[in-house]
Amino acid sequence: DTAVSQTPKYLVTQMGNDKSIKCEQNLGHDTMYWYKQDSKKFLKIMFSYNNKELIINETVPNRFSPKSPDKAHLNLHINSLELGDSAVYFCASSQPGQGEARSPLHFGNGTRLTVT
Amino acid sequence: DAKTTQPNSMESNEEEPVHLPCNHSTISGTDYIHWYRQLPSQGPEYVIHGLTSNVNNRMASLAIAEDRKSSTLILHRATLRDAAVYYCIRGSYIPTFGRGTSLIVHP
């Protein structure tokens, strides 16, 4: 039973198209994230939602629009795809604790986006 | 800015212990230290975390320096399946990953 699942696993598309990546977690976590891992393997946070509300937006172009219909889902829609958007996109979730502790992040297995 | 420093890569032989270092000299008193690893073609997975005391779990041990400015992830007996990129992260509002240490395990 997969804890954090992303679809699709692979996505190949042409420049200028619009595409979406879906993410679902069944862990009951309040916080979900999108990370981008580029060809140099650098893992960079893009967005974070807590209980359906945006709490982190790390200078991501407006072409990227996350949507959280409920706290178990965080989808990523990308408009007007560019070559530089090619990367692996990871969804993650966690349950922020009270006080010092933050629960571990649970990651999906990624969506490899290739823009041609 | 990941605010942690790790060597780019390390090598080990199978069944030998591995000590993966991490410097986090600007860590605050309430920041936990988390370790994750990323196996090829997979998402990162949690390994271990701690605040001040050394920690052990089924995957690894975490040794935290007394001044908390550094920590060491210890794999007691490396296996080929431990070959991965290991990330050390300071617990913060924004979980930020650095480049990690790529661990190569030789048979």
Side-chain angles (χ1 to χ4, degrees), chain A residues 33 35 37 40-43 45 55-56 58 90 100-110 112, chain B residues 30 32 34 36 38 41-46 49 51 87 89 91-99:
Chain A
Y33 309 81
Y35 282 83
Q37 188 167 46
K40 295 182 179 178
K41 305 296 184 184
F42 188 44
L43 194 62
I45 190 165
I55 55 173
I56 297 170
E58 286 292 300
F90 289 100
E100 310 93 349
R102 172 178 293 275
S103 81
L105 294 166
H106 293 255
F107 283 84
N109 279 329
R112 183 174 293 277
Chain B
T30 57
Y32 274 67
H34 295 251
Y36 291 81
Q38 187 174 18
S41 301
Q42 293 188 26
E45 65 173 343
Y46 165 78
H49 75 286
L51 182 62
Y87 297 98
I89 299 172
S92 68
Y93 185 64
I94 303 175
T96 303
F97 288 73
R99 296 201 178 274

Side-chain angles (χ1 to χ4, degrees), chain A:
Chain A
D1 190 18
T2 305
V4 181
S5 59
Q6 299 178 225
T7 53
K9 187 172 181 178
Y10 300 97
L11 185 54
V12 181
T13 188
Q14 291 184 329
M15 284 175 57
N17 286 348
D18 303 338
K19 290 293 178 185
S20 292
I21 307 172
K22 295 186 176 181
C23 178
E24 176 182 3
Q25 54 97 2
N26 62 7
L27 297 167
H29 288 165
D30 284 338
T31 305
M32 296 185 71
Y33 309 81
W34 277 108
Y35 282 83
K36 177 182 179 181
Q37 188 167 46
D38 59 25
S39 57
K40 295 182 179 178
K41 305 296 184 184
F42 188 44
L43 194 62
K44 184 174 181 180
I45 190 165
M46 300 174 68
F47 298 102
S48 176
Y49 269 69
N50 187 67
N51 220 352
K52 302 192 300 176
E53 290 191 15
L54 179 68
I55 55 173
I56 297 170
N57 180 343
E58 286 292 300
T59 60
V60 177
N62 291 338
R63 299 182 296 104
F64 291 80
S65 53
K67 282 190 171 50
S68 182
D70 55 61
K71 75 173 193 176
H73 296 83
L74 181 61
N75 304 322
L76 184 64
H77 188 77
I78 315 169
N79 289 328
S80 303
L81 278 154
E82 300 177 358
L83 293 176
D85 297 332
S86 295
V88 181
Y89 292 83
F90 289 100
C91 177
S93 73
S94 72
Q95 186 61 26
Q98 295 296 323
E100 310 93 349
R102 172 178 293 275
S103 81
L105 294 166
H106 293 255
F107 283 84
N109 279 329
T111 296
R112 183 174 293 277
L113 172 65
T114 303
V115 182
T116 60

